[in-house]
Amino acid sequence: EYPTNKTVVELFQEQVNKEPDNIAVVFDDKQLTYLELNDKANCIALKLREMGVKPNDFVAIIAHKSLEVIVGICGIIKSGAAYVPIDESYPESRIKHILNDCKPKALITNSLKISSDVQVIKLSDVDSLDSISTNPPIVNSSDDLAYVIYTSGTTGKPKGVMIEHKSIVKLVKNCDYTVLD
């Protein structure tokens, strides 16, 4: 059994409330606690909402691996949108195809080599954002999209696979484990 009516955002905020000072993410020599990650993600979420992003809209994220990518993904989900991860090492034609197919409302990046007519948030600006401790209102239901991942498909053209919040919640709850001493 798992909470079928909960979203990823609700589970994350429960964890923030439960263990705000525990380390949530580590990358190289940088780390963030749950509270720090939440506050930075709130900044991204509110910026995206100001841009008009709503539930089930797509927000693409094109970036190399970094701590800020996790902040960006959390911010996208907290905004209500579904994130679309795009590997920056993809050929330009593949990136353009994915962007044209999903038509994102915004793009989050730390090194964009492709011109785009959508609004952009630069991940390099995340550290300069003021932390916002007030969580934006949750606007999703468990049936809303959390992310879309593109696969190569049998035709060789990338196809988007849409994943709802409830699917992630089920996976997370099925992976709960107890550490034995």
Side-chain angles (χ1 to χ4, degrees):
E1 290 190 30
Y2 68 99
T4 58
N5 61 337
K6 289 206 175 182
T7 66
V8 174
V9 175
E10 290 169 300
L11 291 183
F12 177 71
Q13 288 180 187
E14 286 174 8
Q15 187 66 27
V16 172
N17 292 335
K18 184 178 168 187
E19 301 179 296
D21 298 322
N22 284 7
I23 302 302
V25 63
V26 176
F27 185 81
D28 289 338
D29 61 342
K30 296 184 347 186
Q31 62 186 29
L32 291 174
T33 66
Y34 282 102
L35 187 59
E36 291 168 332
L37 175 58
N38 186 60
D39 291 353
K40 288 183 180 294
N42 286 343
C43 294
I44 300 286
L46 292 172
K47 268 190 160 315
L48 289 169
R49 286 194 184 171
E50 288 170 10
M51 294 175 169
V53 170
K54 303 179 302 300
N56 293 313
D57 283 344
F58 299 132
V59 175
I61 184 162
I62 304 174
H64 56 270
K65 293 178 185 175
S66 68
L67 193 77
E68 293 77 21
V69 167
I70 302 302
V71 172
I73 289 170
C74 290
I76 293 168
I77 293 173
K78 290 188 86 168
S79 77
Y83 75 94
V84 181
I86 302 174
D87 190 324
E88 69 176 359
S89 69
Y90 285 166
E92 186 174 333
S93 60
R94 183 179 176 98
I95 293 173
K96 283 184 177 180
H97 172 79
I98 294 170
L99 291 173
N100 288 335
D101 187 61
C102 73
K103 297 175 182 38
K105 286 276 179 112
L107 175 63
I108 296 179
T109 185
N110 57 9
S111 64
L112 182 60
K113 301 170 190 163
I114 293 181
S115 62
S116 178
D117 57 353
V118 299
Q119 301 172 89
V120 175
I121 295 175
K122 293 183 179 178
L123 283 174
S124 57
D125 296 341
V126 168
D127 284 336
S128 65
L129 295 174
D130 292 328
S131 292
I132 300 174
S133 59
T134 304
N135 291 314
I138 295 172
V139 294
N140 293 104
S141 75
S142 61
D143 292 325
D144 286 334
L145 296 176
Y147 71 94
V148 177
I149 191 156
Y150 276 79
T151 64
S152 58
T154 56
T155 64
K157 279 196 170 183
K159 294 179 182 136
V161 177
M162 297 185 237
I163 308 298
E164 298 172 336
H165 281 263
K166 65 184 173 188
S167 297
I168 298 171
V169 170
K170 182 177 182 181
L171 176 67
V172 167
K173 290 301 182 179
N174 281 342
C175 291
D176 278 351
Y177 64 93
T178 303
V179 176
L180 301 175
D181 291 325

